[in-house]
Structure formats: C-alpha cells, structure tokens
Amino acid sequence: MNDNFEYLFAPNSVAIIGASDNPNKIGGRPIHFLRKYGFRGDVYPVNPGRQMVQGYRAYSDILDVPSVPDSVVIAVGTDAVADQVERCAQMGVRAAVLMSSGFGELGEKGRARERRLVEIANASGMRLMGPNCQGTANFSNGTILNFSTMFTDVAAQDGPIGIVSQSGAASVMPFALLRQAGLGVRYVIATGNDADLGACAMAEAVARDEDIKLILVYLEQISEPHRLASAARIAKERGAYIVVLKSGGSTKGASAAASHTGAVVGNEAAIDAFLARSGIWRARDIQDFILAAPLYLSDRPVGAGRSVAMSHSGAVAVMTADLAEREGLELADLADETKTRLTAILPDFGTAHNPLDTTAAVLSDPTMFPRVLSAIGLDSQADTVMVSVPMAGPGYDLETFADAAAEFVRTQNKPMVLSAPQPNVRAVFSARDIPVYATEADAIRALQQYTKHQQLRAALRESRVIEPIMGLPRGLQDEHRSLSLISDHGVPVVENILCNSPDEAVTAFHELGNVPVVVKGCAASIPHKSEHDLVYLHIRSTDDARRAAESCFAALKDMGITKPQVLVAKMVKGEHEIALGATVDAKLGPLVMIADGGTLVELRKDAVTLLAPFTAKQAREALARLRIAPLFQGYRGKPPLDVQALAEAAVALGDFAAGSRESLISVDINPVMVMPSGEGVLAVDAVVELNQ
Amino acid sequence: MNDNFEYLFAPNSVAIIGASDNPNKIGGRPIHFLRKYGFRGDVYPVNPGRQMVQGYRAYSDILDVPSVPDSVVIAVGTDAVADQVERCAQMGVRAAVLMSSGFGELGEKGRARERRLVEIANASGMRLMGPNCQGTANFSNGTILNFSTMFTDVAAQDGPIGIVSQSGAASVMPFALLRQAGLGVRYVIATGNDADLGACAMAEAVARDEDIKLILVYLEQISEPHRLASAARIAKERGAYIVVLKSGGSTKGASAAASHTGAVVGNEAAIDAFLARSGIWRARDIQDFILAAPLYLSDRPVGAGRSVAMSHSGAVAVMTADLAEREGLELADLADETKTRLTAILPDFGTAHNPLDTTAAVLSDPTMFPRVLSAIGLDSQADTVMVSVPMAGPGYDLETFADAAAEFVRTQNKPMVLSAPQPNVRAVFSARDIPVYATEADAIRALQQYTKHQQLRAALRESRVIEPIMGLPRGLQDEHRSLSLISDHGVPVVENILCNSPDEAVTAFHELGNVPVVVKGCAASIPHKSEHDLVYLHIRSTDDARRAAESCFAALKDMGITKPQVLVAKMVKGEHEIALGATVDAKLGPLVMIADGGTLVELRKDAVTLLAPFTAKQAREALARLRIAPLFQGYRGKPPLDVQALAEAAVALGDFAAGSRESLISVDINPVMVMPSGEGVLAVDAVVELNQ
C-alpha cells in the first residue's frame, strides 16, 4: 500500500472535519495556520452548524465537499471518529490526520478501536496519522495540519531541518529552541499513537526531501526499526543526518531478564547498537537533540576529528582541555612547523600548544588573531577549530576576528565553532555563519557529536547476509550441548567429555592426558552449578576424579535429575576472563555483548553491545571502549592478550545469533578465557537457550 | 599580619599609578569604572605627564598625593613595579592591586621578582593582590579596582553573589552569564598570580560579607586550602554556599604515582574529598558554576530531597524520569492519599504518579494546575517541585499557573524550578521569583546540585582530632612489618609468622594449625612478589611447606637479598576482595581510598576517596557509591558482607594516615578479604611506605 505522504505534506486540497471558527480551538487552529503560513490549495471546513468558518465556506458533511480533498483533518469527539473515517474512505480521500484522542493511549480497548479505524481506512487505500496526534506541518508550502499553539507564539520559517516525534510536546520543544537559535525548520510532525503511519515511516518520508539536511526524531518506542534504518540509508545517500532522542530508558524493561546477557544488554544497549549500526546519533536530552544543528547544516568534513582550540585566556585553555577530555573530543598535536609559526606570532607568555592561549595580546595587535588562524590552517593535524572569546568590550576588534574566522572556514572547509558568554559577541560570528555557543562545554559537546556522527556514518558498511541455521535444538541446553553448539559455529571451546558414570569420568581424565581437570555436574535444569556444589576444580588424580564424579552424581540424583551426567574438562586458566553473550531483540535483531567477565558482570557493567552480524574490526573497536581495554595491550607485567581471537569468537557468536534469530533466546558464555596474544581464547562454560 | 581586605573592598581613597586619560586603557579603566559605578571616595590618578586624568586632578608621583590613599592600583611596566610598590609601602598604603604582568607567570625568575614585591610590601604591613591580576570590584559601593572590559559591555548590578577567581576570564564569564539571568553580583575578584593575597583568602573575606549568599570560586591550584575551608565554615555559619570550579583535571598530575592508591586517587579525587569535607560543591564547568544560583539565593529547605515533577505532556514526564535517574535526583513516591486526591483532579488518561502528566486538560480547566500543586503540597514526600511547561500559546492561562506556583513556594517554603523552552513562558514565572530553565535537563541538574549541596553542608561535622603517632619506622616496609603496623593501628590482618629458614616455615605451618597456608618471600625491596614466583598458595602439608619455603629462600638469594625471610600465613578466602589504600596530599592532607580490589584496581576504577579522619558512617556512605555496592547486601545467592567491619577498617586506616601524615607516603592493602556479615574483614597483603 502506498504511504500517501504527498497528500499529507503537499496536498492540493484539505478538509477539516470538526472545523471551528475559533482559531484557538483544536478544530480551528489548522485553518488559521493554513492561511497564516500561506497554504495555496483549497480549504474545506466541515461543520454542520455554520455557513462560513474563518472566512472559508463551510460544509455540513465531508460528503458535501465539492471535490475529493487530498487530505483530511479529523478533530471530532472520540465516538464520531469512526464514522468520519468511513465517509472519507468511501469518497476516496488518500490521507487523514486524526487529532481526536480517546484511543490506544487509554489501553487495550482503545487500541482495538484504533485498529478498526486503520482497517476501514486501509481497505480503500487511505492512510492515517494518529489518532491522538498533533499533526503534521510543512512550512515550505504552508500545509499545517497541526493544532500546536506553538506556531502562534513562535514564528515558523522554512529551513533544512525536519522534526518527527511520537509526542506533540517533544516536536515543538526542539522547534522552539531551534527557532530561537535562528534556524529554519520545514517539518514539524507529531504522530501520536502511530496506529498506521508511524514516526519511523514519517522519518523515511522526510529523509526523501532533498532539501532536508537534518532530521530529528523523538521516539518512545521504535515500532518500525526497518523503516528507521531505511530513513538512515536514504539520508546517508544524500549526505543528510538523523539524530534520535529515544526516551524511557529509566524504566529498565529488561532488568528482569533471566540471562546475564539480557540483564546487561537491556533494551537501551540494544537500541544504542541498532542506532549506531544505522549511522544514527542518539541524543540523550532535548539539548543534545538540537545542539549540533548548525554544524550539521553547514556540513564540512571532520577528517580524523582532531580539534584545535584557541582563546585569549589561559583559564579557558585549561578548561577546554578538561572539557575535551570529558566529552571525548580529541585535541590535535600541533606539527613542529606550526609551533614554530605560532611562536613567531604569539607573545612570550603565550604558549604554542593546543589549546592555544594568545593572551590579551590579541587586543593590542588586531592582526594576531587572523595570523594564528592561518598558521592553524596550514597544519594537517587541525581537522576542526574551536574559538573562545570569553570576554570582549572596547578594544576588541570583533569584526576582524569574525572575518578571519569566516575566511578560515571558507578557504579550509573545516568545521569551526565559537564560544562566548556575551550575546553581542556571538552575534558578530553568527552573522558570518559560524555556529555559536554560550559556553565552551556546549561548543565542545556539539563539535564532538558532529565529529563522531560524521565518522560513524562514514564507516557504515553493508552487513553480511547470514543464512538461517537449520536443525537447531529446542529449549535450554545443558553445558555440554551448549559448548558443542557454539563450537560447531566457530567459538573455540575447552576440550570436554560427557560422562554417564564415575568410571567414564576416570576414563575421561586419562583421555584428557591426566592433566588437571574440572569435574562438573551437567544438567540443563541447573545452570548455576557452583551454587549447588556441582563444580570440582584442580582435579589431578584418578582418585580425586572418581570422588568428584561420585559427589556430582549423588548430588544430581538428590536434586531429582533422572539421567545425571558429569562433564570432565581440561582446567584452563587464561590471562583474563571475558563474558560473551547473545540475545535477540524482537524488533531490533540479534545482539552480542562482550563484557569484563566473572560473576560480577552485571555490577561491573564494563560491557559493549553490538548488533549482529559484525566484523572482527568492529568487535575490536568495541573492545577498545571497555574500561579494562588497557589489559589487551599488556598491563603491569602481563603479556598482551589475544584480542583478535576474542574478536573472532565474538563475530562467530554474532553469526550464530543472526542465523538462529528466529529461535534463539540467549547465549551466556562466562568465562571465555583469553590467552596471551597468538594463543587464542577458550569458552569454558556456556548456556544456550532456544525457544521450546 | 592583617589581610587589609577593607582597604580593597571599601577604601575611602584610591590612587591609580599609571593612570590613563583613555578609559579603554588598563590604567584608564579603573578610573572610568570608579566614576561609572558611583565610588564616593577620593580618586588620585598618578601620571607624571598630565595635569588632569578623566576629569580628576593628576599627580606626577604617588608621594605627591595629598593624603595616604587606602589602596593603590599599580598599572605600570614590569620594570617600574618594584619601585612603585616601595614608594607605596614607604608612605603607608595598606593594599595594592598589581595589574602589571611579567612576573610569576613567566617562570622562576618572575616568581623571584614577585616574592621580592611581597617582601617589600609586607614589611610595612601592606598587602598585595596580583601581580598579573585583573583586580577587584565591589558593586555595592563602586570600588572597581579592575580593568575588565566586561563591565563596559555588561552592566553590573549589586546582588548577593561574590565571584573570586585566579583568572580574569573565569571571573567575568560567570559574571556575564549571571547578569544575563538577571542576577546581581557584588564582588568580581580576579587574583592573578596569588603572590600575597590569594583566591582562597579572598573567598574567606567575601564569606564574611553578611549580604553574600553564594560565593563562586574559580581555582587552578588550591594554594591555601585552610583558608578555603575557613571560608566554607564562615559561609556555613551564615547559611551561605560556596561552589568551586577547579580546572586542570585533565593533566592527571598523579598518574605517575608509584603506589596503586596514588594512581587511583590522583589529585582530582583528593580535591573532591577535600571540597566535600568542607561542604563545598565542585562544579565541573562554567554552566554548572552558575546553574543553581537562583536556588541558592532563595534558599529553601530541601528536606529529604525527593522531588515531584509535573507537566502537561506525557513525553516530558518520560524524559524527566530519564533525566532524574541520570542526574541522581530522587523522585518522590507519592502517598496514597495524594494519588487519591490527584486522581480526583486529573482526567482519565492523566496518571497520578510521579512525574505527573496533567495532559492538555490544564488548558480547558485553569483551576487544575493550582489544584494539582495543592495536592502535592499536602504530601510530606514532596520535598521539591519541578514544573515543566513544554509549550504554551493562546489558551494557556500562564498568569494563573505562575500565581499558583508562587503561592505554593510561599506557603510550603519548598524549592521549585520551572522549565520551558519559550522565553515568554519563563518570564512569567521568573517575575514571581521562580528559578527558570530552558530545558528539563538544566532544571534537574540545578535542583539536584542544590539538593545535594544543602544536604552535604547540613551533614558536616567537626572532625575528630588525631594526635600524631610517635616512633614510626622509616622507608618502605616489607609485608610482615606493613601488616604489623596497620594491625597495631586497628586494621584486622591475617595471622602470619615471619620465618628465617625452611625449618621455621614448617614450624609456622604447624603453629597455624596445619590448615592451608600461603608461603611468600618477604623483602621490602620486592613489593610485586607474584611477578617473581615468590607466592605459594594452598599449602596443605609439611613437605609442601618446606619445598615452598626453600624455593622462596633460593629465589630471594638469587635476587641478592642478603637476609632472606619468608612469611607463612593462613589462607583466607573472603566473599569479596577490596583494596584499601592511604596517601597524604601535601596540601589537602591524609586520604583513604576504598576500591573494588585485585590487580585491576586502576582499570576498574570503582573507587571512593575520603579525607581522613572520617567516621564509619561516612565510610559506609562512600561504600554505597561503589558500582559493586549491591554485593554488600547479598547478591546472587551470596551472603551479605561485613560492610560495617570494612568501614571500621577504613576508619582505622584513616586515623593511622592522619596520625602519620608527616611521614606517610602510602599504604596499599590489596586485598582486604571481606567476610559474610558479622565475620569481619582481614588484610592479607599490605605495603606501607614512609619517608626515609
């Protein structure tokens, strides 16, 4: 079925059912806004009680409207909605904006009612926004099918930004802040209950608009991730960016998950992994949502992302270094030639290192600021520039500074931000299209976000296609089956032998070379073996092996296991214990978690999550973000670890999860023993659970 | 010697040496500002080339000035400064502001020059600000001995805030932002090189001003912590607050420290501990510095710090919950009666839980907003309130809302913040003295800071006095001596016996009850024993004890230890391994670190630092901030741990560090084995280092 977006965003005619002559009522505001913002098509108010509505001829019934309107706004009482949807469908309307509330937001009964609306509409090819939605606005052509009061208080202006939101408030809050920053916004779309056309679909539609460079999407649920991913692909193709603000993280939906992996990954890490994989930046609040907007709009290459900061204050230089470290913005190491050039320009007590402090000498010599910028421009390490003007006043030649800044950006084509607490200082730079911020913290946050987002998007690659794995077992697998399963799919596992009697355990001890072994009770129903005295470590003799096996068999029988078994495995001690896990998010897909291992994995929370499938390179990049990452390079006399083998094991697990995504619940491998570099990794314990 | 602050802040007469007729030169600006901001005393410009300066009679020499000025500004070339300081001292001037640069900021030579200035001045009881300082400003009486251009661009206004800064830029940046927020600022003091009167001393002086409610202090070094602590005591006594922005954290001065504890604690954690102990809030950037200012100024009791948030948007409610969790602001659990009351007020689809969503129904019923606030006011759980108005426009009765908010604050005397993206909305509430913010994130950050700061200050207690410990050994102590030393001072340690031969080791094994023991080589020069094969665990037999001891003796001899010894200790396995450490910061004093233990203590960085001495209650509060804290209450089938014994061990270590602060370098106890609740803790390895 066609999405019919063109009828919502650029209709030739619009009918408003429940039209009001009062421009401050819900049924009156769209009519008021259509006129105010210059909509050129036909407007048909529908109101049985009036001849005229806000100067337009009114109709008593939608069926009386002289031609079929391209789209319809429905702003009537809950009980009247279905009837109006039916009439619209009947007459061939292509799209309707259901502002009326009283549906899915009230619970299951309301959801059933709204499903019925969608059925009625879709049956004739009509698409719905809402219900319970604020509507859509396209300020390029005045199609404001939206009842927000914000467009009265804050004057709209067309521009290269689109806002798509499941919430009305969250659509107009960023709108207000962007307009205050002087930026134009084309689309303000609040989708409400998402019963038919949802926010992800709308984002896809907005991404297709060639003029849009930045799409801000507020979501409470990602109901159609494939459409959001598609929006990201379309945006990337055109050089546009998508930033998502996904709220609701504090509810910790997954905290009750049964597996360690589920508990650590949770819904939020899954969403992070999905968005990162799609090249979408995740904002953490409304401020993050809009902060980097001017950088997205000018869109200059960030290169390797190394920044040079300059100001005329030593304190600002120190604070900038602190903030850059805190926010993860890399400061460039200036080339020696640059330092030589800067030393020739700066006064004695200015220092030619990054962040640069020109000192108050910029006051007495107006050529200094431009010359410093020129020197920075000659340095290939300087990918981006941040200028702070912490104070100004008489004697500060701001026009010359700002001209030099604009000239730098024009000739170097590198991103620059300016920070100044004084609005009059910001205005001088802003007039030359330099993104401006009131504090260094905001400037650095914006530059860091833009840098990382551009790099994230540039690094996107098409995923490998993983074929479904056939013949998978069902249900919770015991340790032996779990190890075999992951081993079959490429995860190296410890040598282990399943035994049905103490005699077999002794034989296994010999088969494994009489080396120290571990003897463990093995039963799918008892995943937490050590809590039940079912683990015997450091077994070095035939007698000990027999005794341990006997204890396990006895304990398992006591616990009612009808066919008790023990596992005999080589004792393996790695340099470090990592936890590897996999889960499948119903909407987002297969996920792999890599974490600092052991029993405290949930408390230490030193974990990264990847959407599968992924490459070994991506796994290594993720591993580098762990707090314990310095361990991989060799730490405090310990050897470097086989991080490549660990990455490959994670890739194998990811491929397994992707191939088994239809039935996989979770894989917990804890620990994976990581050996010194070149000696590999070995999974020594695993639990795989699949659907029954 | 008297600090002579009164001569800097409220002089009856001021001379300016190096006075300029040009109000935009450094020597001209103070004269311009003295007139502009209404200074009522005498002004004596000193300039040998002019009869008049900016309308004041000028003198060719400071010695020609008709009466001894209370304070003097010196704004002459570097080389002329000493001579002018000498003349001022000679004539009996009490205080001088040295704006001239070219001193300590240039290195050791300059530091020597500025020390000489201080000697000259102090010899006659004259005190100095600077050199290389922007100067001081007191807007209550127009004493602006300050050359900042900011006071030209941004109009000053007296108010209950004082700013003290080692940097000129960092003094006027918060000034500009506070003025933009409509707040008055009395003091703007930039102390420069702090050669005589430094920023900490200035903070103490400002704290004595009864009208000042908030003191913002920007520091790059805390050169006089005792004066800052004294400022905090004076401020607390009067109900005023101090917020410190200490920059330079990214330089990681302590990263090369030899001990684990030194590496984990570093300079920043020491400063955090010192400021917390003094009841001072530490801001992380300029934004943090000023954000909570309106809350400090109205200063209402935060009680238990539980907040109720309300808005008319479900999305804002969700985002507020996310942000509160992120920022650590506790949301109140509403009482059942409150829920009942709210349910009676709110529409069907509004939900009576916190954060509250009144829905757009507040639009149609202007009494709803006041009624909801009244219901909140009746709930004793509601300590603070946060109101969001994400959008407004025609139909929103903002005046009624703001009146109700003001009435709530007046009658309940509880802190309230308002968040709204629209400036016109904020203005309505701001006019009624409600602190306003553009985003929920800022509002929550401000409320959280104010809440925690008030609670921090309220919880301050006088420290116990720890007497110096006499007869301490010197230098690096071997494990046996280290364990004995901390044991003597109250830290429980494992039972251990020092042995001079394998025979003695065997005897020790028997003395310890033939239980599993550990045999370790013991030499002060080899603190990292396990890297040298000097640790034998799980020794259960006489033969094994002898063999292990023999190996240790042989290895120690190979390593050139002349009098090798081994330590035999009981094997102890606790439920969890904690690292306890102590260091002494030269300026701030003795510090104790408590961390998730083991060899990865620096990587896992799950640590808290306390200034010693402290109480067991304070130690327990600090322990609760560790990521692994859930372990203490019993975790995943493990028993609750003896967190009280751990806290008491930390207190004992803190008392030891405080008593030995003159000679202690560091204590590393890693691990301390923590047993199940009631079974105590045991230090099983320790290294104590004292000065030679």
Side-chain angles (χ1 to χ4, degrees), chain B residues 486-487 489-493 578-582 592-594 610 614-616 619-620 623 642-657 667 669 672-674 680-683:
Chain B
I486 60 172
S487 173
H489 290 90
V491 179
V493 307
I578 286 286
L580 265 184
V592 168
M593 173 209 75
I594 318 173
L610 292 142
F614 49 87
T615 64
R620 291 191 66 145
L623 284 165
D642 202 334
V643 64
Q644 180 62 24
L646 177 58
E648 286 166 8
V651 168
L653 179 63
D655 288 359
F656 172 70
V667 180
I669 314 177
V672 173
M673 292 295 182
V674 185
V681 300
L682 277 182

Side-chain angles (χ1 to χ4, degrees), chain B residues 46-81:
Chain B
V46 177
N47 180 330
R50 301 190 70 97
Q51 295 280 321
M52 298 289 285
V53 166
Q54 296 188 44
Y56 294 100
R57 184 183 157 191
Y59 300 85
S60 57
D61 190 307
I62 182 68
L63 297 172
D64 297 340
V65 167
S67 70
V68 179
D70 281 350
S71 58
V72 164
V73 171
I74 298 181
V76 296
T78 312
D79 295 339
V81 173

Side-chain angles (χ1 to χ4, degrees), chain B residues 54 58 66 127 248 255 266 308 433 465 495 497 652 665 673:
Chain B
Q54 296 188 44
R127 302 305 299 262
S255 64
V308 175
D433 283 333
V465 176
E495 203 176 333
I497 300 171
I665 295 173
M673 292 295 182

